[in-house]
Amino acid sequence: MTSKSWSLAALALGGALLAGLPAAAQGYPTQNIKFIVPFAAGSATDVLARILGDHASKTLGRPIIVENKGGANGIIAAQAVAGAEPDGHTVLITTNTTHGANQSLLKSVPYDAEKSFEPVTKLGTITLALATNPSVPAKTVQELITHAKANPGKLTFGAGSSSSRIAGEMLKTLGGIDLTYVPYRSNPQAITDLLGGQINIVFADISTTLPQIKAGKVNGLGVSTAKRSALAPELPTMAESGVAGYDLAAWFAAFVPAKTPQPVIDKLRQALVVAINDKATQEKLLAAGIEPETSTSQELRAFVGTEIRKWADIVKAAGIQPE
């Protein structure tokens, strides 16, 4: 079956599914839908939102506009959605930053990850890659650790998301080294400074780091997950590189404001599921380093609770003091 046939089949399935929804959702959407992204254009979350929005807009029959509200560890975007009308027209396309790590990294979060939102569906996962500026005299993770131990506190690592921050902190803790953390509004900005030599290290989503690694502009040393990435099989895992116990992946999910009617959530979810199940869409996501995944709303609700506890354990183990 061709990609076009897959797309037509997915749209037909979407139409059949949506037609069976309760009357309360039949009128939705009544206006353009906004996908609010907590990170800058070019970030993995932004890429995901645009790919899914393009497909879901055809199913729902309304344009989907992606709006980037970066900064403050995703708080700006999360607050904007939490305070929006609960009618399904404002959707948070986000990650474990806003709904997992912030609750432990920050002393105060002006939204409740579980009570301020209604979960829609998981959207996918992504591995992180460790990249260094060519000026760093290290071609492997172990060489980087050796260099860092000889120069405590002198190497800097940039991070534009909580996942990236935690990835760097885990390298510090499990590798027994001292690195200086430099915060950014988003990972693409951190990559820009890595290219310019303003920072030495970035541990960020593979869709942001891999193009620069393949172009030879930065050195790729490893990936964060327990298994190698099919997109960059030449990069060893951190565990393979001698950093025992290192395993970290970032995830994506969709949320709407609390009190959004369940029939509306169901209609939005089904449109997103149809998009993710489309072969052409899957190919685009995989090319961006994102492994597609869906869930029920109830499964996502339980998952968020588990993730908040998991990230709290990671932050505690890394000895990070909430800011």
Side-chain angles (χ1 to χ4, degrees), residues 174-220:
L174 299 177
I177 56 178
D178 182 15
L179 304 173
T180 299
Y181 164 57
V182 180
Y184 286 86
R185 288 175 62 88
S186 67
N187 283 327
Q189 294 173 334
I191 290 291
T192 297
D193 275 7
L194 181 70
L195 292 168
Q198 284 84 9
I199 55 175
N200 306 116
I201 302 166
V202 167
F203 217 142
D205 52 88
I206 202 166
S207 61
T208 304
T209 53
L210 195 56
Q212 307 303 332
I213 293 172
K214 289 192 171 182
K217 296 180 180 179
V218 298
N219 292 326

Side-chain angles (χ1 to χ4, degrees), residues 134-156:
S135 64
V136 178
K139 297 293 185 181
T140 67
V141 173
Q142 281 304 316
E143 288 178 1
L144 175 63
I145 290 174
T146 298
H147 179 64
K149 285 182 176 179
N151 298 274
K154 293 183 179 180
L155 293 181
T156 54

Side-chain angles (χ1 to χ4, degrees), residues 98-114:
T98 61
H99 282 66
N102 275 357
Q103 288 65 37
S104 297
L105 284 174
L106 305 175
K107 290 181 180 178
S108 177
V109 179
Y111 63 86
D112 189 308
E114 297 178 280

Side-chain angles (χ1 to χ4, degrees), residues 302-321:
F303 178 75
V304 168
T306 299
E307 283 291 292
I308 290 174
R309 293 188 293 272
K310 185 188 91 172
W311 286 87
D313 291 340
I314 292 174
V315 169
K316 183 177 180 181
I320 303 171
Q321 295 300 314

Side-chain angles (χ1 to χ4, degrees), residues 10-102:
L11 285 173
L13 174 61
L17 288 171
L18 299 181
L21 286 168
Q26 292 296 328
Y28 168 79
T30 59
Q31 62 193 57
N32 294 349
I33 298 169
K34 288 194 294 185
F35 277 5
I36 307 297
V37 175
F39 308 108
S43 64
T45 317
D46 173 72
V47 171
L48 172 84
R50 293 180 190 278
I51 291 173
L52 294 183
D54 181 61
H55 192 288
S57 66
K58 298 170 186 175
T59 304
L60 292 170
R62 287 278 184 171
I64 293 178
I65 301 164
V66 175
E67 188 174 323
N68 301 90
K69 289 183 176 291
N73 275 31
I75 287 176
I76 297 172
Q79 274 191 293
V81 176
E85 284 295 318
D87 56 13
H89 293 98
T90 305
V91 185
L92 182 65
I93 305 296
T94 191
T95 71
N96 43 271
T97 290
T98 61
H99 282 66
N102 275 357

Side-chain angles (χ1 to χ4, degrees), residues 112-132:
D112 189 308
E114 297 178 280
K115 296 180 181 179
S116 299
F117 305 89
E118 302 294 346
V120 181
T121 178
K122 288 183 71 175
L123 302 172
T125 58
I126 192 169
T127 189
L128 310 178
L130 172 61
T132 61

